[in-house]
Amino acid sequence: VNVTGINAYYIFNHKRFSYPAAFAQSTVQRKSCGSWNAGLSYTLHELEFDYNKLPNELISDKANGRLSNDFRIDQLKYHDFSVSCGYSYNWVFKKNWLLCMSLTPALGYKQTATDVTKIAETTTQKEMPKFDFDNFNVDLIARVGLVWNNTKYFGGMSLIVHNYNYRHNKLTIRNTFGTLNVYLGLNFHKRKAYR
């Protein structure tokens, strides 16, 4: 699976709530605070799949017949355009300590890219993509960050998880990936503190 994308988001309470305090250490948040956020994103998903590695019982089942061509996919590429809205909270539970929790559901529109859905031993899909309400799916972005920062030294960890859902004809794909970071660092300049 290859996922390439770009996203932008807006923090409504940005004067008191700081995402960077939890995920970039460019600021320090001193008091607990939360904020609603909204965002836009675009991702390109490319998936390769070798159905021949499935168990023989799934490929050729005497009771149910052979594996449907809907599942004999070598490669799938699709675009995902999404709008998201969620809530994030920075909890300052002790001096210099911060725990951030963020949950952002997203409404995504998935569109199969033209001429890239390859079905093994059959023709390649070549029709132009068409708008279809069935292509709307609910995705999810979750973020958790724990950081200690005294404005000069900092350390912590963060986890960001993306969940994408794709439905096309009889095929459903749930694509989930996450990034876990553990870090220690030193600031050369005093960090700005959020109230």
Side-chain angles (χ1 to χ4, degrees):
V1 177
N2 290 315
V3 181
T4 306
I6 186 170
N7 67 75
Y9 56 85
Y10 181 78
I11 303 297
F12 290 95
N13 191 16
H14 59 84
K15 291 185 177 180
R16 295 184 179 275
F17 174 87
S18 173
Y19 248 155
F23 299 103
Q25 295 74 53
S26 58
T27 59
V28 177
Q29 183 143 356
R30 293 301 188 192
K31 292 184 179 180
S32 299
C33 183
S35 177
W36 289 95
N37 59 74
L40 299 170
S41 70
Y42 163 77
T43 51
L44 174 63
H45 298 252
E46 299 175 273
L47 301 95
E48 293 184 2
F49 178 71
D50 186 356
Y51 75 93
N52 289 305
K53 293 185 178 179
L54 291 171
N56 290 331
E57 294 79 13
L58 294 178
I59 298 175
S60 181
D61 188 340
K62 293 181 180 178
N64 299 314
R66 298 180 71 239
L67 183 70
S68 168
N69 280 339
D70 292 305
F71 298 97
R72 294 176 183 270
I73 292 177
D74 291 330
Q75 181 182 1
L76 175 66
K77 184 186 291 186
Y78 68 90
H79 306 282
D80 180 6
F81 306 90
S82 68
V83 177
S84 62
C85 183
Y87 190 79
S88 305
Y89 191 79
N90 281 348
W91 178 33
V92 181
F93 59 92
K94 196 173 181 180
K95 184 179 180 181
N96 298 329
W97 283 95
L98 174 71
L99 175 64
C100 178
M101 294 164 284
S102 175
L103 193 62
T104 309
L107 180 63
Y109 183 81
K110 314 296 195 294
Q111 181 63 69
T112 303
T114 306
D115 198 23
V116 291
T117 303
K118 296 182 179 179
I119 301 177
E121 301 174 0
T122 64
T123 58
T124 301
Q125 177 178 320
K126 294 184 179 181
E127 66 269 12
M128 291 297 293
K130 297 178 182 178
F131 180 83
D132 189 343
F133 280 104
D134 290 338
N135 290 349
F136 281 102
N137 297 276
V138 176
D139 302 326
L140 187 65
I141 304 169
R143 296 179 176 92
V144 178
L146 176 66
V147 61
W148 175 84
N149 192 338
N150 70 353
T151 71
K152 186 171 183 180
Y153 303 100
F154 63 87
M157 61 184 297
S158 65
L159 174 66
I160 302 174
V161 178
H162 296 260
N163 176 262
Y164 299 96
N165 296 295
Y166 173 82
R167 292 194 312 270
H168 182 70
N169 295 333
K170 298 178 182 179
L171 178 66
T172 298
I173 298 172
R174 288 184 178 86
N175 186 15
T176 302
F177 70 92
T179 304
L180 176 65
N181 297 306
V182 179
Y183 51 85
L184 291 170
L186 167 68
N187 286 316
F188 293 97
H189 301 285
K190 188 176 181 180
R191 301 293 87 190
K192 178 182 177 182
Y194 270 62
R195 290 177 291 176

